[in-house]
Amino acid sequence: MITTLLAIEGVAKFGAAIGAGLAAIGAGIGIGKIGGSAMDAMARQPEVISKLMTNMIIAAALIEGVALFAAVIAFMCL
């Protein structure tokens, strides 16, 4: 009985770690895509850099917020 409970707790911790890791990977990919696309756009139209930077920072902040929320939910599942 106790070994079963310990095994279930171990699986829950493993699942939380996997969930938090996937959230971090997803955020990294999303912010990388934003940065790459912004560099492309800046190279094509240098005159819109200020508007582009503002939009890029807002999008990156939203992605980070979602990643943080996912990590918190993963750890709350413990």
Side-chain angles (χ1 to χ4, degrees):
M1 179 72 173
I2 291 186
T3 56
T4 305
L5 291 175
L6 290 175
I8 290 172
E9 184 178 336
V11 170
K13 287 181 181 180
F14 182 71
I18 293 293
L22 288 175
I25 290 170
I29 290 171
I31 292 174
K33 283 187 163 229
I34 289 172
S37 297
M39 292 299 134
D40 262 356
M42 286 180 205
R44 291 174 191 229
Q45 291 183 330
E47 65 272 3
V48 296
I49 288 178
S50 63
K51 277 189 355 185
L52 188 63
M53 288 294 283
T54 302
N55 290 337
M56 186 178 74
I57 289 172
I58 289 171
L62 290 173
I63 289 173
E64 284 294 325
V66 169
L68 179 64
F69 182 69
V72 167
I73 293 299
F75 286 121
M76 283 178 57
C77 288
L78 294 176

